[in-house]
Amino acid sequence: MTERFCQTDVLAVPRFANIATFMRAAQSPISPGLDIAIAGVPFDLGTAFRIGSRFGPAAVREQSRHVRLIHSVLKISPFDLCRIADVGDAPVRSFSIPDSLALIESFFRSITDIGAAPLAIGGDHTITLPILRAIVRGGPVALVHIDAHSDTLDKIQNERLCNGTPFRRAVEEGLLDPKRCVQVGIRETLFASDDHDWAKASGITMIFMDEFNTRPLSDVVAQIRTIVGRSDAYLSLDIDSLDPSFAPGTGAVEPGGFTVREVQQLLIGLLGIRFIGADLPEVSPLYDEGGRTARVAASLAFDQLCLLAYGRPKGRAEVGT
Ligand code: MN
Ligand code: MN
């Protein structure tokens, strides 16, 4: 493992020292040799209600100083399996949604071009669309989407590119195969009674929170794995999937959500799925309390990093599966 892709040695350098990077990963430009690129996407112009997730990457970097090396359950050490770096933030513009999305797409394309997988910290959920545009090659992929919201509306206030629409656009553009897409934790109130009709008609599987509440979690995991199958998949974890008692720092608060432990167990259950990328959007420190939402996000992002590292060919080879 080359020095420049290692985590800062916490035994030599205190966690509170130096400039924060995601999980104390080395800071590096996007460059050959990298297996996983962790990137911030400080974009929130796609937010219909409460803005602020543009500050999410900085907050999660700060709170992720505490994350250690080895997953407590999976026993995976992603920094040993893969060459991982914090590649900084995707470029964005302050005033233009289209310009920002083009810049984000170009940034993530350069990650895919060197053969690395991205872990993106948002930013609002609009960011998933340019990321998928950049990294999906050779046909549509599967999706595991954990969220309070389906994000499959056609438009909000006539805007087709916002955080309520990315998964509809991605299916329309042939980036996602809806029959291999599953959404978990949906509990949003609706603008209109037909809000979910398109998603259901497209073949996306929606596991609503009231259904999740009546089923064993292991049963839900088994269903997700059946839907995704053995194909390439993308993992999108909206922080508002969690109950606001655990994650108040987000724009579209929906009470009645997952516990942290439930999301942890869901993610653990996804080990072995061939994830080509992952994101964690909608952390908004403006509404956070003492950084606890960003701290939860940092922990769940580490879980995502473990899934990505294990899913890389090199990761599978070293773990021996
Ligand atoms: Mn969302
Ligand atoms: Mn949401």
Side-chain angles (χ1 to χ4, degrees), residues 125 145 147 149 151 163 167 238 240 281-282:
H125 221 152
H145 174 202
D147 201 329
H149 312 93
D151 296 345
N163 69 351
F167 298 100
D238 188 325
D240 70 30
E282 300 288 356

PDB file of all heavy atoms in Angstrom, residues 125 145 147 149 151 163 167 238 240 281-282, ligand 1:
ATOM      1  N   HIS A 125     -29.914  15.547  -2.738  1.00  0.00           N
ATOM      2  CA  HIS A 125     -29.993  14.270  -3.450  1.00  0.00           C
ATOM      3  C   HIS A 125     -29.958  14.410  -4.967  1.00  0.00           C
ATOM      4  O   HIS A 125     -29.832  13.413  -5.683  1.00  0.00           O
ATOM      5  CB  HIS A 125     -31.223  13.480  -2.990  1.00  0.00           C
ATOM      6  CG  HIS A 125     -30.957  12.030  -2.824  1.00  0.00           C
ATOM      7  ND1 HIS A 125     -31.646  11.215  -1.948  1.00  0.00           N
ATOM      8  CD2 HIS A 125     -30.045  11.217  -3.426  1.00  0.00           C
ATOM      9  CE1 HIS A 125     -31.174   9.984  -2.038  1.00  0.00           C
ATOM     10  NE2 HIS A 125     -30.212   9.962  -2.921  1.00  0.00           N
ATOM     11  N   HIS A 145     -31.689   2.035  -2.515  1.00  0.00           N
ATOM     12  CA  HIS A 145     -31.959   3.429  -2.173  1.00  0.00           C
ATOM     13  C   HIS A 145     -32.689   3.467  -0.830  1.00  0.00           C
ATOM     14  O   HIS A 145     -33.831   3.021  -0.727  1.00  0.00           O
ATOM     15  CB  HIS A 145     -32.808   4.042  -3.301  1.00  0.00           C
ATOM     16  CG  HIS A 145     -33.302   5.434  -3.031  1.00  0.00           C
ATOM     17  ND1 HIS A 145     -34.388   5.977  -3.653  1.00  0.00           N
ATOM     18  CD2 HIS A 145     -32.864   6.391  -2.187  1.00  0.00           C
ATOM     19  CE1 HIS A 145     -34.608   7.207  -3.219  1.00  0.00           C
ATOM     20  NE2 HIS A 145     -33.686   7.482  -2.321  1.00  0.00           N
ATOM     21  N   ASP A 147     -34.208   5.801   2.024  1.00  0.00           N
ATOM     22  CA  ASP A 147     -34.664   7.198   2.008  1.00  0.00           C
ATOM     23  C   ASP A 147     -36.069   7.278   2.602  1.00  0.00           C
ATOM     24  O   ASP A 147     -36.836   6.311   2.536  1.00  0.00           O
ATOM     25  CB  ASP A 147     -34.691   7.701   0.546  1.00  0.00           C
ATOM     26  CG  ASP A 147     -34.660   9.223   0.409  1.00  0.00           C
ATOM     27  OD1 ASP A 147     -35.169   9.925   1.292  1.00  0.00           O
ATOM     28  OD2 ASP A 147     -34.138   9.681  -0.624  1.00  0.00           O
ATOM     29  N   HIS A 149     -37.968   9.411   1.254  1.00  0.00           N
ATOM     30  CA  HIS A 149     -38.655   9.904   0.063  1.00  0.00           C
ATOM     31  C   HIS A 149     -38.283   9.070  -1.156  1.00  0.00           C
ATOM     32  O   HIS A 149     -37.140   8.616  -1.281  1.00  0.00           O
ATOM     33  CB  HIS A 149     -38.269  11.366  -0.196  1.00  0.00           C
ATOM     34  CG  HIS A 149     -38.346  12.234   1.032  1.00  0.00           C
ATOM     35  ND1 HIS A 149     -37.251  12.455   1.838  1.00  0.00           N
ATOM     36  CD2 HIS A 149     -39.384  12.889   1.596  1.00  0.00           C
ATOM     37  CE1 HIS A 149     -37.610  13.239   2.850  1.00  0.00           C
ATOM     38  NE2 HIS A 149     -38.897  13.514   2.736  1.00  0.00           N
ATOM     39  N   ASP A 151     -38.196  10.234  -4.277  1.00  0.00           N
ATOM     40  CA  ASP A 151     -37.399  11.057  -5.200  1.00  0.00           C
ATOM     41  C   ASP A 151     -37.601  10.658  -6.659  1.00  0.00           C
ATOM     42  O   ASP A 151     -36.663  10.674  -7.466  1.00  0.00           O
ATOM     43  CB  ASP A 151     -35.899  11.012  -4.841  1.00  0.00           C
ATOM     44  CG  ASP A 151     -35.589  11.601  -3.475  1.00  0.00           C
ATOM     45  OD1 ASP A 151     -36.473  12.297  -2.918  1.00  0.00           O
ATOM     46  OD2 ASP A 151     -34.484  11.374  -2.963  1.00  0.00           O
ATOM     47  N   ASN A 163     -33.887  17.703  -5.999  1.00  0.00           N
ATOM     48  CA  ASN A 163     -33.690  16.537  -5.136  1.00  0.00           C
ATOM     49  C   ASN A 163     -34.943  15.669  -4.980  1.00  0.00           C
ATOM     50  O   ASN A 163     -34.886  14.645  -4.310  1.00  0.00           O
ATOM     51  CB  ASN A 163     -33.131  16.948  -3.760  1.00  0.00           C
ATOM     52  CG  ASN A 163     -34.137  17.712  -2.917  1.00  0.00           C
ATOM     53  OD1 ASN A 163     -35.205  18.086  -3.387  1.00  0.00           O
ATOM     54  ND2 ASN A 163     -33.784  17.950  -1.657  1.00  0.00           N
ATOM     55  N   PHE A 167     -34.082   9.905  -9.312  1.00  0.00           N
ATOM     56  CA  PHE A 167     -34.182   8.497  -9.700  1.00  0.00           C
ATOM     57  C   PHE A 167     -35.115   8.311 -10.896  1.00  0.00           C
ATOM     58  O   PHE A 167     -34.946   7.371 -11.667  1.00  0.00           O
ATOM     59  CB  PHE A 167     -34.588   7.657  -8.481  1.00  0.00           C
ATOM     60  CG  PHE A 167     -33.549   7.750  -7.396  1.00  0.00           C
ATOM     61  CD1 PHE A 167     -33.721   8.585  -6.303  1.00  0.00           C
ATOM     62  CD2 PHE A 167     -32.354   7.072  -7.522  1.00  0.00           C
ATOM     63  CE1 PHE A 167     -32.727   8.714  -5.339  1.00  0.00           C
ATOM     64  CE2 PHE A 167     -31.355   7.194  -6.574  1.00  0.00           C
ATOM     65  CZ  PHE A 167     -31.538   8.013  -5.471  1.00  0.00           C
ATOM     66  N   ASP A 238     -29.882   8.322   1.837  1.00  0.00           N
ATOM     67  CA  ASP A 238     -30.290   9.669   2.249  1.00  0.00           C
ATOM     68  C   ASP A 238     -30.337   9.708   3.776  1.00  0.00           C
ATOM     69  O   ASP A 238     -31.006   8.876   4.398  1.00  0.00           O
ATOM     70  CB  ASP A 238     -31.673   9.957   1.638  1.00  0.00           C
ATOM     71  CG  ASP A 238     -32.132  11.398   1.825  1.00  0.00           C
ATOM     72  OD1 ASP A 238     -31.817  11.994   2.872  1.00  0.00           O
ATOM     73  OD2 ASP A 238     -32.824  11.908   0.927  1.00  0.00           O
ATOM     74  N   ASP A 240     -31.941  11.470   5.646  1.00  0.00           N
ATOM     75  CA  ASP A 240     -33.287  11.645   6.216  1.00  0.00           C
ATOM     76  C   ASP A 240     -34.073  10.342   6.289  1.00  0.00           C
ATOM     77  O   ASP A 240     -35.211  10.325   6.763  1.00  0.00           O
ATOM     78  CB  ASP A 240     -34.072  12.755   5.504  1.00  0.00           C
ATOM     79  CG  ASP A 240     -34.501  12.409   4.084  1.00  0.00           C
ATOM     80  OD1 ASP A 240     -34.734  11.233   3.776  1.00  0.00           O
ATOM     81  OD2 ASP A 240     -34.619  13.358   3.275  1.00  0.00           O
ATOM     82  N   PRO A 281     -26.253  11.662   0.819  1.00  0.00           N
ATOM     83  CA  PRO A 281     -26.640  13.070   0.688  1.00  0.00           C
ATOM     84  C   PRO A 281     -27.495  13.568   1.848  1.00  0.00           C
ATOM     85  O   PRO A 281     -27.938  12.799   2.700  1.00  0.00           O
ATOM     86  CB  PRO A 281     -27.476  13.053  -0.594  1.00  0.00           C
ATOM     87  CG  PRO A 281     -28.141  11.714  -0.557  1.00  0.00           C
ATOM     88  CD  PRO A 281     -27.154  10.765   0.092  1.00  0.00           C
ATOM     89  N   GLU A 282     -27.754  14.875   1.832  1.00  0.00           N
ATOM     90  CA  GLU A 282     -28.765  15.579   2.615  1.00  0.00           C
ATOM     91  C   GLU A 282     -28.383  15.875   4.060  1.00  0.00           C
ATOM     92  O   GLU A 282     -29.239  16.265   4.853  1.00  0.00           O
ATOM     93  CB  GLU A 282     -30.133  14.859   2.554  1.00  0.00           C
ATOM     94  CG  GLU A 282     -30.730  14.721   1.157  1.00  0.00           C
ATOM     95  CD  GLU A 282     -31.263  16.026   0.558  1.00  0.00           C
ATOM     96  OE1 GLU A 282     -31.239  17.053   1.265  1.00  0.00           O
ATOM     97  OE2 GLU A 282     -31.675  16.011  -0.617  1.00  0.00           O
TER      98      GLU A 282
HETATM   99 MN    MN B   1     -33.612  11.726  -1.070  1.00  0.00          MN
END
